[in-house]
């Protein structure tokens, strides 16, 4: 009965059909009309093309960059075997996740992404809480992702300085300052809407060119090379875990991080034309390019390790990939230049992460999902971006960075949390989809039928796997200094969500029922060009 009731709510009323009929006679943009049918007005310009959306999606996921940041770290908990075959495993999982996200983005293209899908698909009784949890998990995951990228940039920058100044002993505050500088620097790139598509395409090509230069240069100039057995068949367990499988799983977190954030393109659905087609292309393209670049990069770098890999792990720069460059090139300037290309790629990744987190925050706030939604849901009329949501998200990233000064272990736990929280945000709408029945929704152009069902199930099983296994300690014996505090991070997030839900959210959150009732008014507003008046009339 719940499904039937919810289906009835989703069906357009006669008044909606009349409003739509009147609008069909006008020159209303078709994408804006489809958005109006969901209960939203077009507040931002559709400046993005499929290439620029792909630029945001790939620049954020940027798998080869993620591997470069975690490449040698993974050696200690699985060795080259972990990275080489872990990439294949995670790429297969990510293909299933990408199919799952693409199907829903194609059927229901909306900047809210997974929280919107959960609200539309869940039974009426559970729709609001399912959507609310999804929105919070997704936004928290995006914050932690930005923090992890900013830390990688801070570490790389300080490492380059240390390589050129060997007397420097790196302290946590050095990396903290560089972290904050990267966060502030990248903040400004998301403050003007018209330049964002160009920036996205530039960051895409920056990543691909940097990948090509490093892939060719390092193996070509390395004085010696590792044997194929080391690259493809060496398993190293330095974690203290007696079970090799646990060591492999602990190390898999690093590889999984390199394929995270696949939903990012879906949150640009209101800034690209024909999003039901363009968003799936961007998501699946991200997975494909990510696998090819990360796998070949890993193979090339492992072959290029000069001497004993433990020398790379013990580098005074604390940036193993930089030390690998230095040993291969025997030239500090050359190594720093190659690392600068990685930093440029990483800054593009952080810009894309800021774009993603701001759209998540803004879209969730316009349905009153966050405290201060009146302020966070505003789009700047001249800059054509949700500046308030962008600013607030970046401030929170800056605050999260302060934890690095207190505990590197606790900060690393948030990096793990970003992976699992995002998977949870994908899984909630998938559960709602399967409960409702895949045959009971109107599919978009991207719909794979039975293959999609398999992808849905794999996504759910992998989410459960990561929720349990990624909570294991990083090493044994377990000490305060190496404990995995990710469960504590989950607890803090759940407490925040619970308090906000009972204090504010359950009374104010704009769910599917209210939004469907607003459709006629929104469509009339779009018809008369009253975007400004309708945009926040329900906030």
């Amino acid at each position: 009965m719940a499904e039937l009731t919810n289906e009835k709510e989703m069906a357009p009323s006669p008044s909606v059909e009349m409003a739509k009929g009147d609008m069909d006679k006008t020159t209303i943009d078709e994408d804006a009309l489809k958005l109006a049918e969901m209960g939203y007005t077009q507040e931002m310009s559709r400046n993005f093309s499929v290439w620029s959306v792909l630029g945001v999606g790939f620049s954020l996921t940027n798998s080869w960059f993620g591997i470069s940041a975690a490449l040698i770290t993974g050696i200690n908990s699985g060795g080259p075997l972990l990275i080489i075959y872990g990439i294949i495993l995670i790429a297969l999982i990510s293909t299933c996740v990408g199919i799952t996200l693409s199907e829903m983005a194609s059927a229901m293209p909306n900047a809210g992404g997974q929280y919107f899908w959960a609200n539309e698909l869940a039974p009426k009784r559970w729709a609001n809480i399912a959507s609310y949890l999804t929105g919070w998990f997704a936004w928290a995951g995006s914050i932690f992702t930005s923090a992890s990228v900013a830390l990688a940039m801070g570490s790389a920058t300080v490492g380059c300085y240390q390589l050129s100044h060997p007397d420097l002993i790196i302290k946590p505050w050095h990396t903290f300052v560089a972290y904050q500088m990267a966060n502030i620097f990248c903040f400004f790139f998301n403050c003007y809407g018209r330049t964002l598509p160009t920036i996205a395409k530039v960051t895409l090509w920056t990543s691909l060119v940097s990948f090509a230069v490093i892939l060719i240069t390092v193996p070509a100039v390395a004085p010696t090379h590792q044997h194929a057995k080391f690259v493809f068949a060496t398993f190293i367990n330095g974690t203290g875990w007696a079970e090799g499988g646990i060591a492999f799983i602990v190390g898999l977190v690093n590889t999984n991080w390199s394929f995270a954030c696949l939903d990012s393109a879906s949150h640009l659905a209101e800034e690209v034309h024909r999003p039901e087609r363009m968003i799936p292309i961007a998501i699946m393209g991200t997975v494909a390019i990510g696998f090819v670049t990360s796998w070949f990069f890993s193979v090339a770098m492992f072959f290029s390790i000069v001497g004993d890999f433990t020398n790379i792990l013990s580098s005074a720069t604390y940036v193993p990939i930089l030390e690998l460059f230095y040993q291969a090139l025997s030239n500090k300037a050359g190594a720093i230049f190659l690392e600068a290309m990685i930093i440029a790629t990483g800054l593009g990744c952080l810009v894309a992460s800021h774009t993603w987190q701001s759209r998540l925050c803004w879209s969730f706030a316009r349905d009153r999902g966050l405290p201060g939604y009146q302020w966070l849901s505003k789009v700047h009329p001249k800059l054509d971006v949700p500046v308030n949501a962008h600013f607030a998200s970046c401030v929170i990233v800056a605050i999260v960075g302060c934890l690095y000064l207190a505990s590197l272990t606790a900060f690393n736990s948030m990096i793990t949390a970003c992976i699992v929280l995002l998977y949870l945000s994908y899984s909630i709408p998938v559960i709602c989809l399967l409960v409702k029945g895949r045959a009971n929704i109107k599919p978009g152009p991207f719909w794979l039928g039975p293959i999609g069902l398999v992808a849905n199930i794999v996504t759910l099983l992998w989410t459960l796997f990561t929720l349990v296994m990624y909570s294991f300690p990083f090493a044994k014996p377990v000490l305060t200094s190496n404990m995995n505090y990710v469960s504590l991070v989950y607890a803090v997030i759940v407490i925040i969500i619970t308090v906000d839900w009972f204090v504010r959210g359950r009374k104010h959150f704009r769910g599917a029922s209210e939004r469907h009732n607003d459709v006629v008014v929104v469509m009339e507003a779009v018809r008369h060009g009253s975007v400004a008046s309708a945009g926040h009339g329900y906030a």
Side-chain angles (χ1 to χ4, degrees):
M1 283 296 294
E3 290 183 3
L4 292 175
T5 303
N6 203 34
E7 186 73 24
K8 183 177 179 180
E9 282 189 2
M10 292 179 67
S13 65
S15 55
V16 173
E17 292 294 341
M18 290 175 62
K20 183 178 177 180
D22 291 340
M23 292 171 66
D24 286 342
K25 300 174 183 178
T26 70
T27 57
I28 295 293
D29 181 80
E30 183 179 350
D31 293 320
L33 175 57
K34 291 178 181 177
L35 188 60
E37 292 173 11
M38 300 178 191
Y40 300 97
T41 53
Q42 183 71 52
E43 296 188 76
M44 289 189 286
S45 301
R46 295 183 183 265
N47 295 323
F48 282 80
S49 66
V50 65
W51 281 105
S52 50
V53 173
L54 176 61
V56 171
F58 178 73
S59 296
L60 177 52
T61 302
N62 226 328
S63 300
W64 80 267
F65 159 73
I67 290 295
S68 74
L71 178 65
I72 309 302
T73 305
I75 287 185
N76 197 47
S77 53
L81 185 145
L82 163 72
I83 301 295
I84 298 300
Y85 299 106
I87 288 175
I88 297 174
L89 172 63
I90 297 299
L92 291 173
I93 299 294
S94 296
T95 299
C96 293
V97 174
I99 290 172
T100 295
L101 296 176
S102 295
E103 283 191 332
M104 290 190 283
S106 183
M108 296 167 285
N110 186 282
Q114 54 265 52
Y115 99 81
F116 175 81
W117 306 332
N119 203 225
E120 288 291 317
L121 296 171
K124 180 181 179 182
R125 181 180 179 184
W126 305 105
N128 283 7
I129 186 63
S131 177
Y132 196 77
L133 284 171
T134 303
W136 268 99
F137 286 156
W139 189 47
S142 72
I143 294 294
F144 294 152
T145 300
S146 292
S148 66
V149 176
L151 177 63
M153 291 301 89
S155 299
T157 303
V158 174
C160 287
Y161 185 84
Q162 197 284 332
L163 185 63
S164 61
H165 299 78
D167 294 335
L168 175 69
I169 299 176
I170 298 177
K171 303 285 182 64
W173 71 266
H174 294 144
T175 305
F176 171 77
V177 171
Y179 170 104
Q180 300 295 359
M181 291 175 62
N183 187 44
I184 293 171
F185 175 75
C186 291
F187 165 82
F188 294 102
F189 285 87
N190 275 277
C191 289
Y192 189 59
R194 291 189 177 182
T195 61
L196 272 177
T198 301
I199 292 171
K201 285 185 281 189
V202 168
T203 55
L204 171 63
W205 288 109
T206 297
S207 175
L208 295 177
V209 169
S210 299
F211 161 76
V213 170
I214 295 172
L215 187 74
I216 295 170
T217 302
V218 178
V221 301
T224 61
H225 296 88
Q226 296 292 333
H227 296 291
K229 182 178 179 180
F230 172 79
V231 177
F232 294 106
T234 301
F235 183 81
I236 300 169
N237 182 3
T239 64
W241 283 98
E243 303 84 359
I246 299 296
F248 185 92
I249 292 169
V250 170
L252 201 59
V253 173
N254 300 304
T255 308
N256 209 155
W257 181 67
S258 304
F259 282 85
C261 320
L262 290 178
D263 64 296
S264 58
S266 67
H267 302 288
L268 296 173
E270 297 172 31
E271 298 175 69
V272 62
H273 290 289
R274 296 188 299 161
E276 66 277 2
R277 297 181 182 275
M278 299 300 105
I279 300 303
I281 292 174
I283 293 175
M284 300 310 296
T286 294
V287 176
I289 300 174
F291 168 69
V292 172
T293 55
S294 62
W295 195 82
F296 281 101
F297 179 84
S298 299
V299 170
M301 293 306 103
F302 280 130
F303 269 117
S304 302
I305 292 177
V306 177
D308 193 339
F309 74 89
T310 56
N311 296 331
I312 297 174
L313 288 175
S314 59
S315 171
T317 65
Y318 295 137
V319 184
I321 194 67
L322 174 60
E323 185 67 22
L324 188 154
F325 292 160
Y326 176 51
Q327 291 188 10
L329 275 66
S330 299
N331 183 289
K332 289 185 177 181
I336 292 173
F337 175 79
L338 294 182
E339 185 64 24
M341 299 190 79
I342 290 182
I343 292 174
T345 299
L347 291 176
C349 178
L350 187 55
V351 169
S353 190
H354 283 178
T355 305
W356 170 50
Q357 70 182 22
S358 66
R359 271 42 173 195
L360 265 168
C361 180
W362 162 73
S363 60
F364 196 36
R366 67 180 176 179
D367 282 322
R368 306 192 289 263
L370 296 170
Y373 60 84
Q374 301 94 329
W375 182 69
L376 294 172
S377 61
K378 294 184 181 298
V379 175
H380 196 284
K382 294 183 178 179
L383 299 179
D384 196 30
V385 291
V387 175
N388 296 345
H390 174 45
F391 176 77
S393 297
C394 288
V395 167
I396 295 174
V397 172
I399 294 172
V400 167
C402 296
L403 184 61
Y404 179 79
L405 291 174
S407 172
L408 173 60
T409 303
F411 189 91
N412 287 338
S413 296
M414 289 192 298
I415 295 176
T416 303
C418 88
I419 299 171
V420 180
L421 287 172
L422 289 173
Y423 279 140
L424 286 171
S425 77
Y426 305 158
S427 294
I428 294 175
V430 173
I431 292 172
C432 296
L433 173 64
L434 296 181
V435 169
K436 185 179 183 64
R438 289 172 54 88
N440 293 325
I441 74 166
K442 181 181 179 181
F446 186 93
W447 190 260
L448 299 186
I451 296 176
L453 176 60
V454 173
N456 295 163
I457 294 172
V458 170
T459 299
L460 294 180
L461 292 176
W462 186 252
T463 299
L464 181 61
F465 177 85
T466 58
L467 181 62
V468 176
M469 302 305 294
Y470 286 3
S471 298
F472 278 45
F474 301 122
K476 292 185 72 176
V478 180
L479 305 172
T480 304
S481 59
N482 63 11
M483 179 63 187
N484 188 348
Y485 293 98
V486 70
S487 297
L488 179 60
V489 176
Y490 299 151
V492 171
I493 296 298
V494 169
I495 289 171
I496 293 173
I497 294 173
T498 302
V499 171
D500 186 58
W501 173 255
F502 284 104
V503 172
R504 184 199 61 82
R506 61 176 178 169
K507 300 176 183 178
H508 299 287
F509 184 63
R510 181 186 177 226
S513 297
E514 184 179 350
R515 190 174 62 252
H516 294 159
N517 291 335
D518 295 334
V519 168
V520 174
V521 179
V522 175
M523 292 179 74
E524 283 296 322
V526 173
R527 179 186 179 189
H528 293 96
S530 304
V531 171
S533 62
H536 302 292
Y538 311 107

